[in-house]
Amino acid sequence: MDTLPTGLTRAAVWDGTGVDIRTIPIPELRTGECLVRVRLATVCGSDLHTISGRRPGPYPSILGHEALGEVIAIGSNAPAAVGDRIVWSVTVACGHCARCRSGRTAKCVAVRKIGHEAMHPDWALSGSYAQHIVLPAGTTVVQVPNGMPDQVAAPAACATATVMATLEAAGDLAGRRVLICGAGMLGITAAAACHEAGATVHITDIDPDRLHLAERFGARPDNGSKADIAFDFCGSTDAVREAYSRLDIGGTLVLAGSVKPGPPLPLDPEAVVRQWLTLTGVHNYEPRHLTRAIALLDRTRTRYPWHTLIAPPVPLDKITTALGPTPPGILRSAIAP
């Protein structure tokens, strides 16, 4: 890391066409805020979609919402202490609107999102592709257990926590037949979580390398059988249609991959009624899911090879090399600012 004057940091700023490394002032902290030194940031697919133009987003901005870091300064009433190694939530909620009061803080009417906001004097250091990030009041933080490697913990802030929200929506998994569509980071994480919960897990994907990788996380190749619970993490209408058709009586379909417009899916209401089917969607997650994500990774860190899913990190100056497709067997690139 380059030596910088006190009060300054460096960040990779997305300007709508590319990424530029800039020096940015570190602000004085306000009540409830934490200044975190980013140790490792993993590259979520949503950031790749932003950079490729498939996902609209504000700019200039600092991307990156899946990360881990060390608290180096706090404002009064902050949720962490200096020296804590933490992960933090993607969403920052107001805590008092009707949605927050109902338990849907991820859909707060005034929600702000780590790594998804335009740079503004009020919150310039809002993304994790930077040496430092400011976590505003209302950000959920969870301490990372001693001994858990950074590369295992970092995906908890998005992929793992989202998976825990989908598992909650699915209900009891013990002894159930599970079908997972999509063997990316979310799908493979879900495979491990469902397997650990006592389910029989089958998984589908168009990439044979990913299907082979999923077997190391408790999944079996798809055999076309009926399922009690199906998860879609790929967003393909064809995959959703297939998952819906595979539900047995009383089955549940949880959708988490359909995050951009796509072809509509015909639905037979009579089939839903006569087969007692449940269809539900999950987008983002609640604070409890981030806590459960770290607990899952800690519980299973010797059972599943989580660390093998993350590429060796590159420095901030080399970030452009991490903002592209990953090699076979790797599901996340990583940056060590």
Side-chain angles (χ1 to χ4, degrees):
M1 182 185 73
D2 294 339
T3 300
L4 293 171
T6 301
L8 297 175
T9 190
R10 299 172 75 233
V13 178
W14 166 247
D15 65 8
T17 60
V19 173
D20 179 36
I21 307 299
R22 302 183 190 177
T23 299
I24 300 173
I26 296 175
E28 292 187 12
L29 297 181
R30 294 168 294 193
T31 299
E33 293 185 337
C34 297
L35 177 65
V36 177
R37 174 74 172 90
V38 179
R39 290 169 58 108
L40 187 78
T42 42
V43 180
C44 178
S46 63
D47 286 343
L48 298 180
H49 293 163
T50 297
I51 290 168
S52 68
R54 296 173 58 193
R55 181 182 187 277
Y59 58 85
S61 65
I62 302 172
L63 302 176
H65 55 273
E66 211 177 61
L68 169 145
E70 181 179 345
V71 179
I72 62 171
I74 57 174
S76 60
N77 298 319
V82 172
D84 286 351
R85 189 169 62 116
I86 62 170
V87 293
W88 48 90
S89 59
V90 173
T91 56
V92 182
C94 73
H96 54 75
C97 71
R99 293 178 186 176
C100 286
R101 293 197 306 271
S102 72
R104 301 284 187 194
T105 67
K107 294 299 172 182
C108 168
V109 297
V111 70
R112 295 185 291 171
K113 298 183 73 174
I114 302 289
H116 293 286
E117 302 290 334
M119 293 183 72
H120 186 276
D122 183 56
W123 190 25
L125 295 175
S126 61
S128 303
Y129 299 160
Q131 292 177 340
H132 298 86
I133 184 172
V134 173
L135 303 182
T139 308
T140 298
V141 303
V142 177
Q143 289 197 47
V144 176
N146 292 334
M148 181 183 291
D150 289 356
Q151 68 267 34
V152 172
C158 181
T160 322
T162 300
V163 165
M164 301 315 291
T166 66
L167 263 63
E168 180 179 283
D172 184 23
L173 290 159
R176 310 302 295 278
R177 298 165 296 171
V178 169
L179 172 66
I180 295 173
C181 298
M185 192 71 187
L186 275 79
I188 284 181
T189 300
C194 292
H195 181 249
E196 197 239 358
T200 300
V201 183
H202 292 90
I203 196 164
T204 66
D205 198 281
I206 61 174
D207 185 339
D209 289 331
R210 289 191 170 191
L211 291 177
H212 180 69
L213 179 64
E215 294 182 30
R216 302 175 65 191
F217 290 83
R220 303 176 184 179
D222 183 38
N223 62 3
S225 61
K226 287 290 187 179
D228 301 306
I229 299 167
F231 299 92
D232 177 67
F233 295 108
C234 68
S236 162
T237 299
D238 289 341
V240 174
R241 182 185 298 109
E242 173 69 10
Y244 170 67
S245 72
R246 298 272 294 279
L247 292 177
D248 209 343
I249 301 296
T252 297
L253 172 58
V254 183
L255 305 179
S258 300
V259 292
K260 61 181 183 296
L265 177 69
L267 180 67
D268 180 1
E270 182 187 13
V272 174
V273 171
R274 291 190 180 278
Q275 296 183 54
W276 284 60
L277 303 180
T278 299
L279 281 70
T280 188
V282 170
H283 186 234
N284 294 325
Y285 58 84
E286 294 301 312
R288 64 184 177 275
H289 300 129
L290 182 57
T291 300
R292 292 174 190 172
I294 287 294
L296 170 74
L297 295 171
D298 191 36
R299 224 173 30 244
T300 63
R301 66 168 110 163
T302 60
R303 185 174 186 181
Y304 305 115
W306 297 110
H307 65 284
T308 65
L309 301 177
I310 312 300
V314 300
L316 190 64
D317 289 336
K318 302 291 185 182
I319 187 172
T320 55
T321 66
L323 301 178
T326 56
I330 298 294
L331 300 182
R332 285 288 196 265
S333 298
I335 300 138

